Structure formats: C-alpha cells, structure tokens
Amino acid sequence: MLLFFKCLSLVLFFVEFRAVVFGGKFSGKSSLINSVFGKNLVPNNKRTAQCKKLQGSVCGRKLTLVDTPGWWKHFPLSDTAEFLKQELVEGVSLCHPGPHVVLLVIEIDIPFTEKHRKAAEDHLQLLGDQIWTYTLVLFTRSFSQGDRTIEEHIENEGEALKWLIERCGNRYHVFGNTALNEKSQVTQLLEKIEDIVERNNGTYFQIDTKILEKAAEWKKTVMTKAQSRVLKLQQKTHLNKGLRITLLGWVIAGKSSAGNTILNNTVFANDRSTVKCQSGCGEVDGRPVTVLDTPSWFKYFPSQYSPAWIKSEIFKGVCQTVTSPHCILLVIPADTSFKEDQKKVIQENMSLLGEQVWGHTIVLFTWGDILGDLTIEQHIESEGEALQWVVEKCENRYHVFNNEERENRVQVTELLQKIDEVVAQNSLFQLNTQTSGRIHARQEEVDAQAQITDEHDLQDVVQFVDEEWRRRDKELLRRVSEVKKDIKAVRGDRSMDSPPYLSENNETEDPVDEEVSQTEPEPAGTVLDEQKSTLKLKGQIKEMLDQEWSRREEAIMGRFLEVLSELRCGEQQIFNCKLPHTVLSLSNGFNHKQF
C-alpha cells in the first residue's frame, strides 16, 4: 500500500493540476490567479464577467486555473442574475475533463456571517452535492489577522465559518495575494492541491451531465430569443436640438452614475442616496442635454412603504416643472435578479406618473461591465417574464451602460439616438391637471387599503424604515471617514483616492424637510421606544430592510477594500501596523445586529 501511494505521488508530479476559482465579489480571485502565475494575466481593476481559463507552468508543473464571476456575498442565490448562475456552471465545463479542486476564495478581513455562509453554500450547490469533496477554502488578504493563527481566526469567527470549513472536509489554506513572485506560498498551495488529489485517489470533479445539458438548452433558448428581440429594434434616428432626461429607479441602481456618464462630468454625487431632485446640464454630441436625478424607491418594499417625501419629490420634479422631460430612463442594474416582486414595485411606483409614462420610458441597464460578452438581450431573456414585461411595457426600448467606462461615448451617442426616436413618436411627457388629480386619488386609495390590511400602522412603519436607513447610512459613512483619516495619518501628507462611491464630503443630507415631508424626524440621538421598534421591524419588514441595506453596504465595502488592497501592495510595512485594526473595526461596523 505504501508503494502504491509513492507511485501515485510520482505520477501526480507529472499530471496537470486543474482548479476552478470561486468566491464573492471583491474577494481577491483575480489577484490570487496573478500571484500564482507570477504575471498580471487578469486585470484587478475590472470585475470578472465571463469565465476565463488560464494555463501555464508553475513551480515546474502544468497548471490550469479558471477565473469565474463573483456573487454578492450578502445576497441569497435568488438575487443572483440567471446569466451569472449559468456562468458558474460554464466555468467547471471549461476545466475539461473536470477540476481536481475548487478554490473557494474568502477574504480574511471581512467578518463571515450566516448570510455569507448561505450565499457560498447555495452558489456552490448549483454544481451538485459532490462539489464539496473537491473544495478547498482559500483565505486571501490579511489586514487584520496580525499574530493570530488561521485556526484562531476560524474559532473566533463563529459557527458560520466553522460550518463551511467542516462542509469542505476541514480543508483550508491562507494565501497572501499582494505579491507576484512569492514562490514559497505558491509551492505550499500546490502541495495542498496535491494532497486533495491524493485523498481523492487522483479523481476529479465531474459535473452531472443533466446540469450541463440543462445549461446548454437554456443558453440555446436565450440566444434565439435574444436575437429575435434585437430584430425588433427600430434603426431610426430623429435629431432634436436639445434633450431633457429624467432618471428613475430603485436604491443602488446607478442613476447618479448614469447621469454623470451621460454628461461626461461628475455632476451627481454617487456616494450617498439622492434626497432631492437635482438637475445637471452639459453639451453632449454638440447639443444641450439636461439630466434630472431623482430620489430612489426601494427594490423590495412595495410602493406604500416609500416615504411621502420621495413620492412628492419625484412627482414635483417630473410633472410640475416648467420644462417637461423628453424621455424618462428607468434605471435597472443588470447584475442582480429581477423577479415578480420587482416588477410589481416598479409598476406601482411608475403609476404615480400615470399610464402614459410608459410611452416615454426607456429601460437603462447599468453595471453593464458585469455582462462581459453576454448581450443585454440574452440577459433580458434569461431573467424571465417579469423583466420582459417591463421591457415590453416600454415598447421594447432599452439600453445598457457601463458606468465604469465613462470615456466610452459611443454608448451615450446610441442612447441619445434612442431618445430621439421616443421624442419623434410621443413628443414631451406631460400630465394635465385632471390626470394628476386622478393619479393622486388612486395613490391615496392604494395607501388607505394598505393601511387597513397591515397589521400595524403603515405611516409609523414607513417613518421608522426611513429613519433607520438614514441612521445606518450616516454611521457607515462616518466609519469610512475615520478609516480614511487613519490612512492619511499613517501615510503622511499623501492623499488617498476615494473609491467611486465615496467622496471627501461624506456628510449625508437629511431628506426630511418642511417641503417634502409629512412626518417630523425624531431628534438626533433619540432612542426609539423598544417595544415599538420590535413591533415595526419584526418579520418581513426587517427582512426587506436588511435586503435593501445589504446592497449598499456591500457595494461600498467592496470598493473601499479594493482601494486599500492597492495601497497595501505598495506600502506593505505601513499596513502591517495601525491600519489593519481600523479596517477590521470598519468591517464590524457594517453588521447591524441590534435590530
């Protein structure tokens, strides 16, 4: 038997190792691959959109690694876009005939909660039950580990991380992905992979053929329907001298970034929620363009839970201005799922502007960089009937933006052409007094019905959700500001470039004022009655609020850690002292367990 294993080890040295790299967004997958191969093969400043196979010789042996798109670490599987789910399956098939190991990348600096555990479990489970036999948990980065061993870290993190480690057969490893040429840690990783291969008797993971067949059938159907949708688009261009555009959408959809992309200028702050309608002007393709940014409604809360100041501000900005918009852009992020609930939320909020609003609306998909080679038509078809209904309601008018590439002006030119077509067909969007009165009456009827059917007082719940959101937002930005100050103190006079979502002025505005609010906010620092707090935030209300907030905190945390990681690469000694404790404090501050 001993001779057998010696022979097996000798054979394995000459066999190519194949691995698929999985993990959440901003977990360091691309940096890991670059470190292993000792080359900048995968851009660190761009999110992975499509699976990519990379091959080379590492420490004298052939190695294949497949990079895959990341999922939002806080989000359940149901909130992941369909094309991203299918891309994970595609990643395994690229590693033909199958991977020897799946590297589940987890950054060590972020507290690992039950939400993280559930997201990792469900996304891996897409590949079948056997995937866990071949999975190795790979911890990246080490801002906060200090002198602690990885075993101490796992013990301190709690049951969620321990469960995941045990599910992977207690296989884990730590990898510092900040340097390209650290041969020793690469050698140690290869030894861990070799150990897994030996334990599995040289076998590799083989995905169920039914899963692959289903994925192939799904892709074929989507491609066919997507091509059909492309053929429906009109190729007409009608030039108008000037254009007025209004942006509508839910929280963290990318409205402000889209406005900045259109105007090719940082007009709208994208580090905090829009609380008042704000217009920006500029010359685009030789013509004057005005963009109106509006407050956001929620993605998960029905419209009756939207604060009165949001509804009033949107209605006032869109319908009661002297110059009505030529077109309304309904902004929807392309990197998350779109279900029946989201269709209903959009339908209810758009009804505030009347049925005719759909004739003036174009769906603008943001976060287009995550689509990679996937067309927007394929995404529309893959998400299903709810999203297709919205697009069809807008008479098949849609466009996609990559706000990470503001310099790409072709995407803006094409959008203006589509807006010109809307104007040619429908002129301006306007509401007369009679129609406006009917809309308000219908809205009051919906709110009154919700008031009757809700278990608790609707207005109290709306006020509490609004105030709790603003409280969390202020606390988050306060902590980010503290970390930035610590970084400047450690680095001396050198400035720190802020992530895209963060500006130097991080004070949030108070959206509740005499003009737009029907309820007065409680004084700062007031502690709400404990019984009322429990009443308002229990069950579904708390779940929806946590879902909404997770999207904001993850976007900011991910971008912030990207900047810190880049700084750390160049200033290793500085980041090994005071800063790691500050970053960990920031991470811990994002967990709102008191509610």
Side-chain angles (χ1 to χ4, degrees):
M1 183 63 69
L2 181 60
L3 180 61
F4 168 77
F5 281 110
K6 286 184 177 179
C7 292
L8 178 61
S9 299
L10 185 61
V11 171
L12 288 175
F13 185 81
F14 297 100
V15 172
E16 174 191 27
F17 280 165
R18 300 182 299 273
V20 178
V21 185
F22 281 173
K25 294 177 184 289
F26 312 115
S27 59
K29 301 190 307 299
S30 298
S31 296
L32 165 70
I33 292 173
N34 290 336
S35 296
V36 170
F37 284 110
K39 301 176 182 177
N40 286 312
L41 299 177
V42 184
N44 286 323
N45 58 347
K46 292 185 178 181
R47 287 184 292 274
T48 301
Q50 256 86 42
C51 293
K52 184 177 182 180
K53 182 168 73 172
L54 301 111
Q55 295 177 298
S57 178
V58 178
C59 298
R61 71 187 318 149
K62 293 174 63 178
L63 179 66
T64 295
L65 292 181
V66 175
D67 193 16
T68 64
W71 55 79
W72 288 108
K73 295 184 292 291
H74 282 86
F75 289 12
L77 179 65
S78 60
D79 212 16
T80 297
E82 288 300 321
F83 75 88
L84 285 176
K85 297 177 187 177
Q86 298 300 322
E87 196 65 24
L88 294 178
V89 176
E90 181 75 13
V92 176
S93 64
L94 284 180
C95 210
H96 185 77
H100 294 103
V101 64
V102 172
L103 301 177
L104 177 57
V105 180
I106 298 175
E107 67 274 46
I108 205 170
D109 302 296
I110 306 301
F112 193 86
T113 67
E114 176 61 22
K115 287 183 179 179
H116 293 85
R117 185 203 68 77
K118 182 62 174 171
E121 178 189 12
D122 289 350
H123 283 85
L124 281 178
Q125 203 66 42
L126 289 170
L127 307 173
D129 293 332
Q130 295 302 315
I131 192 68
W132 300 100
T133 305
Y134 300 88
T135 302
L136 169 69
V137 175
L138 191 63
F139 294 100
T140 57
R141 299 189 180 129
S142 57
F143 289 130
S144 56
Q145 189 178 356
D147 295 330
R148 286 188 306 171
T149 66
I150 186 59
E151 288 75 21
E152 290 172 335
H153 172 75
I154 294 171
E155 185 65 29
N156 290 337
E157 278 298 282
E159 295 303 318
L161 183 56
K162 283 193 255 184
W163 182 96
L164 187 66
I165 296 291
E166 291 175 2
R167 190 75 172 88
C168 297
N170 291 307
R171 294 180 295 272
Y172 56 88
H173 186 61
V174 180
F175 191 94
N177 56 9
T178 58
L180 291 180
N181 296 306
E182 291 189 9
K183 295 292 185 181
S184 60
Q185 66 171 357
V186 175
T187 301
Q188 292 171 10
L189 176 59
L190 292 177
E191 289 173 352
K192 279 288 179 76
I193 294 176
E194 183 173 348
D195 182 61
I196 293 174
V197 177
E198 288 182 1
R199 289 177 180 272
N200 291 325
N201 297 322
T203 62
Y204 49 83
F205 173 71
Q206 292 179 288
I207 192 170
D208 191 331
T209 55
K210 291 182 179 179
I211 296 178
L212 289 177
E213 289 172 358
K214 184 178 179 181
E217 183 179 351
W218 174 88
K219 188 173 185 178
K220 182 179 179 181
T221 301
V222 166
M223 295 284 282
T224 302
K225 290 183 176 180
Q227 184 61 32
S228 176
R229 186 171 294 276
V230 171
L231 295 176
K232 292 180 182 179
L233 292 177
Q234 301 289 330
Q235 298 299 323
K236 299 178 182 178
T237 301
H238 299 272
L239 184 63
N240 293 281
K241 184 176 181 181
L243 288 177
R244 294 183 296 277
I245 303 166
T246 296
L247 301 166
L248 295 177
W250 66 53
V251 177
I252 319 296
K255 293 190 287 85
S256 299
S257 294
N260 291 337
T261 298
I262 292 171
L263 297 174
N264 198 24
N265 191 15
T266 306
V267 177
F268 307 107
N270 54 14
D271 61 334
R272 56 186 178 269
S273 301
T274 302
V275 296
K276 283 183 175 294
C277 288
Q278 178 188 356
S279 64
C281 303
E283 184 175 291
V284 183
D285 290 351
R287 57 201 298 199
V289 173
T290 300
V291 178
L292 180 71
D293 194 12
T294 63
S296 307
W297 57 70
F298 288 121
K299 177 181 178 180
Y300 301 102
F301 281 99
S303 64
Q304 61 263 32
Y305 290 98
S306 295
W309 67 266
I310 290 182
K311 296 178 181 179
S312 176
E313 189 69 10
I314 291 176
F315 189 84
K316 180 176 66 175
V318 177
C319 302
Q320 297 181 353
T321 55
V322 177
T323 53
S324 300
H326 290 99
C327 180
I328 291 172
L329 298 180
L330 177 58
V331 182
I332 298 176
D335 70 329
T336 61
S337 65
F338 193 99
K339 306 299 183 186
E340 189 65 27
D341 287 345
Q342 281 68 62
K343 166 192 166 184
K344 186 177 181 181
V345 167
I346 285 180
Q347 188 176 12
E348 291 173 347
N349 282 284
M350 293 289 281
S351 68
L352 176 68
L353 305 175
E355 182 64 24
Q356 67 268 43
V357 70
W358 297 102
H360 300 264
T361 301
I362 295 175
V363 177
L364 179 63
F365 292 97
T366 52
W367 299 75
D369 54 313
I370 200 63
L371 293 172
D373 296 332
L374 193 81
T375 68
I376 190 59
E377 290 80 16
Q378 291 166 1
H379 171 59
I380 293 169
E381 297 302 332
S382 66
E383 277 303 294
E385 294 182 0
L387 183 56
Q388 293 164 19
W389 181 91
V390 174
V391 173
E392 294 296 338
K393 192 72 172 174
C394 298
E395 300 173 13
N396 203 39
R397 292 185 295 265
Y398 56 89
H399 192 61
V400 61
F401 258 12
N402 180 354
N403 291 330
E404 296 292 318
E405 296 182 359
R406 188 190 294 176
E407 69 279 2
N408 177 10
R409 305 309 296 166
V410 174
Q411 61 183 346
V412 177
T413 299
E414 292 176 348
L415 174 63
L416 296 190
Q417 291 173 351
K418 294 176 181 180
I419 294 175
D420 283 331
E421 184 180 338
V422 172
V423 177
Q425 295 175 352
N426 299 296
S427 188
L428 291 174
F429 171 69
Q430 291 180 317
L431 283 180
N432 56 42
T433 305
Q434 185 177 6
T435 304
S436 177
R438 286 200 304 267
I439 293 172
H440 274 294
R442 185 164 62 248
Q443 188 65 44
E444 290 175 359
E445 182 181 342
V446 170
D447 289 346
Q449 184 63 31
Q451 183 76 45
I452 295 172
T453 57
D454 278 355
E455 182 181 354
H456 310 301
D457 184 79
L458 176 64
Q459 291 306 316
D460 283 349
V461 176
V462 171
Q463 179 182 349
F464 191 90
V465 169
D466 186 26
E467 292 175 0
E468 172 59 12
W469 176 274
R470 290 186 289 112
R471 187 197 70 77
R472 294 185 183 190
D473 207 41
K474 288 181 179 180
E475 175 63 15
L476 182 151
L477 293 176
R478 182 188 68 80
R479 288 178 176 273
V480 167
S481 178
E482 289 178 354
V483 174
K484 289 168 66 177
K485 289 178 181 177
D486 284 343
I487 293 173
K488 289 182 179 180
V490 172
R491 301 177 74 227
D493 295 332
R494 287 168 291 178
S495 63
M496 172 189 174
D497 293 331
S498 295
Y501 285 155
L502 306 172
S503 68
E504 289 299 319
N505 179 15
N506 52 50
E507 292 296 324
T508 56
E509 300 178 46
D510 190 341
V512 183
D513 60 24
E514 294 180 357
E515 294 183 11
V516 299
S517 176
Q518 296 181 5
T519 59
E520 288 295 323
E522 296 189 3
T526 299
V527 179
L528 294 172
D529 179 81
E530 184 176 349
Q531 184 177 0
K532 291 181 67 178
S533 172
T534 304
L535 182 71
K536 295 170 186 174
L537 276 183
K538 75 175 186 179
Q540 187 181 11
I541 300 299
K542 181 181 185 304
E543 181 181 345
M544 288 190 293
L545 178 59
D546 287 343
Q547 279 183 297
E548 299 285 359
W549 180 251
S550 291
R551 300 173 64 246
R552 172 142 176 85
E553 74 171 16
E554 177 136 359
I556 288 185
M557 190 61 177
R559 294 298 183 87
F560 197 76
L561 282 176
E562 278 190 322
V563 173
L564 292 181
S565 181
E566 292 172 4
L567 291 174
R568 182 173 182 260
C569 289
E571 305 178 31
Q572 182 76 27
Q573 186 175 358
I574 293 178
F575 276 78
N576 281 338
C577 52
K578 173 183 176 183
L579 191 56
H581 304 287
T582 310
V583 176
L584 181 60
S585 174
L586 170 64
S587 304
N588 288 330
F590 284 180
N591 296 313
H592 298 276
K593 297 178 180 178
Q594 63 266 46
F595 294 98

